[in-house]
Amino acid sequence: MRRVAIWLFYCVGALACAYLALYAYSVLTAPKLTPGEPIKIFRNPDAPKYS
């Protein structure tokens, strides 16, 4: 039982480290938004128009 608890502890720690690494990656590689600059949304020109 103790061995299972130790492995569970290590797995939770590894998941936390992976989450922090993924968060740091997403923060560092995110496009920088500046106020007043329009957001570019790309749409397929062949898409149907519902309005």
Side-chain angles (χ1 to χ4, degrees):
M1 189 67 167
R2 184 177 174 194
R3 185 173 296 184
V4 172
I6 290 172
W7 275 102
L8 186 63
F9 183 75
Y10 284 143
C11 288
V12 169
L15 282 174
C17 289
Y19 175 78
L20 287 174
L22 187 62
Y23 177 75
Y25 173 76
S26 66
V27 166
L28 293 175
T29 59
K32 305 299 180 212
L33 297 177
T34 57
E37 184 177 323
I39 299 173
K40 297 174 184 165
I41 300 174
F42 298 100
R43 186 171 188 273
N44 185 0
D46 297 330
K49 296 183 179 177
Y50 296 107
S51 59

